[in-house]
Amino acid sequence: MKTDTLALFDLDNTLLPIDSDYEWGEFMVRIGAVDKAFYEKRNAEFFEQYQSGTLDPAEFLAFVLGTLAKFPRAQLNRWRQQFMDEVIHPAIRPAARNLLKKHQDNNDLVAIVTATNRFITEPIAHALGVEHLIAALPEETPDGEITGKLVGIPTSGSGKITHTENWLRAMNLSFDSFRDIYFYSDSDRDLPLLSRVNHPVAVNPNSRLKAYAEKQGWPLLQLFDD
């Protein structure tokens, strides 16, 4: 692929007006797959930690992947399709599709880089029409069952840089291969990668990122009103 531009996108609260990790937990409670009192409490605690910037991504992934590992993959796949139908598809907005399309029509190399695990986000990337997905990778058995462990490091904070570099290296590319690199994100947790690119864009930014972006003179973009 020949392109001068790399366009990277965070997913939750950036391309989606929701947090797919949190919504998956709420969905599992709603369908009765997990203990309501315990799971709702833990999911809310992790979400509060995420919003306050104190979340330990490894601890959270251990909780989420450990829960997935309790169920057969075939059952998980059925639930995931229901989750897509009931939660994700209604949340996809034209503004997000149009932003992606702008880069795709320009033949830019486009990828989603998310801290949310690949089991949840792979069909979301497909629904958004994005071929390349960089996400936390659950370990699987040879027959595709989820073990509850994480492969490698979390795809959050500086881990997004590491995983993006590894992905590019697999295509014999690097950050230096591109004249222009965009990264769109809503969160100050993504400051490492936002600071690494030459076109950082704060999308639907939280208060900490908004303040930092305004100080740096970065573009601010509001895709959603909700």
Side-chain angles (χ1 to χ4, degrees):
M1 177 183 295
K2 281 280 189 180
T3 179
D4 292 325
T5 302
L6 173 63
L8 305 171
F9 293 83
D10 179 45
L11 179 63
D12 298 316
N13 299 309
T14 300
L15 289 175
L16 293 176
I18 60 174
D19 185 299
S20 60
D21 243 341
Y22 174 78
E23 293 297 337
W24 172 261
E26 292 295 286
F27 169 78
M28 292 288 277
V29 169
R30 189 164 64 252
I31 64 174
V34 294
D35 179 76
K36 176 179 171 64
F38 171 76
Y39 202 96
E40 252 186 355
K41 179 175 182 292
R42 290 299 284 146
N43 202 35
E45 288 171 349
F46 282 126
F47 190 59
E48 183 179 341
Q49 290 168 16
Y50 173 77
Q51 290 184 312
S52 67
T54 61
L55 179 69
D56 180 338
E59 181 185 5
F60 177 67
L61 283 164
F63 172 70
V64 173
L65 300 183
T67 302
L68 292 177
K70 296 177 182 178
F71 304 100
R73 183 59 180 264
Q75 178 66 73
L76 289 173
N77 289 346
R78 288 191 293 271
W79 284 336
R80 183 174 63 177
Q81 185 57 57
Q82 183 181 350
F83 175 68
M84 289 294 298
D85 293 340
E86 295 179 1
V87 179
I88 298 300
H89 285 298
I92 295 176
R93 303 285 191 266
R97 290 193 183 277
N98 292 339
L99 179 58
L100 287 165
K101 189 173 186 297
K102 181 185 78 171
H103 284 284
Q104 291 165 334
D105 287 349
N106 196 46
N107 292 319
D108 300 339
L109 180 57
V110 175
I112 291 172
V113 190
T114 176
T116 303
N117 71 80
R118 191 176 188 94
F119 171 77
I120 293 173
T121 57
E122 192 165 39
I124 301 176
H126 180 75
L128 289 168
V130 178
E131 177 184 359
H132 300 288
L133 171 66
I134 301 166
L137 187 61
E139 182 185 74
E140 297 181 7
T141 65
D143 56 353
E145 299 296 325
I146 293 175
T147 69
K149 296 179 181 179
L150 175 69
V151 177
I153 64 172
T155 45
S156 56
S158 60
K160 286 195 174 184
I161 297 176
T162 301
H163 280 274
T164 302
E165 287 175 334
N166 291 342
W167 166 68
L168 288 171
R169 190 177 301 114
M171 297 184 289
N172 295 315
L173 297 169
S174 69
F175 282 112
D176 293 335
S177 302
F178 302 92
R179 182 188 62 212
D180 297 303
I181 305 178
Y182 291 79
F183 180 42
Y184 297 84
S185 175
D186 72 292
S187 175
D188 60 302
R189 293 185 67 90
D190 282 337
L191 281 173
L193 184 52
L194 284 164
S195 301
R196 178 68 178 79
V197 307
N198 57 0
H199 294 285
V201 183
V203 183
N204 321 311
N206 64 22
S207 58
R208 294 181 300 276
L209 178 58
K210 183 178 181 182
Y212 188 88
E214 287 176 338
K215 184 177 179 181
Q216 297 297 318
W218 293 352
L220 276 74
L221 180 63
Q222 197 70 32
L223 283 186
F224 316 117
D225 294 326
D226 49 355

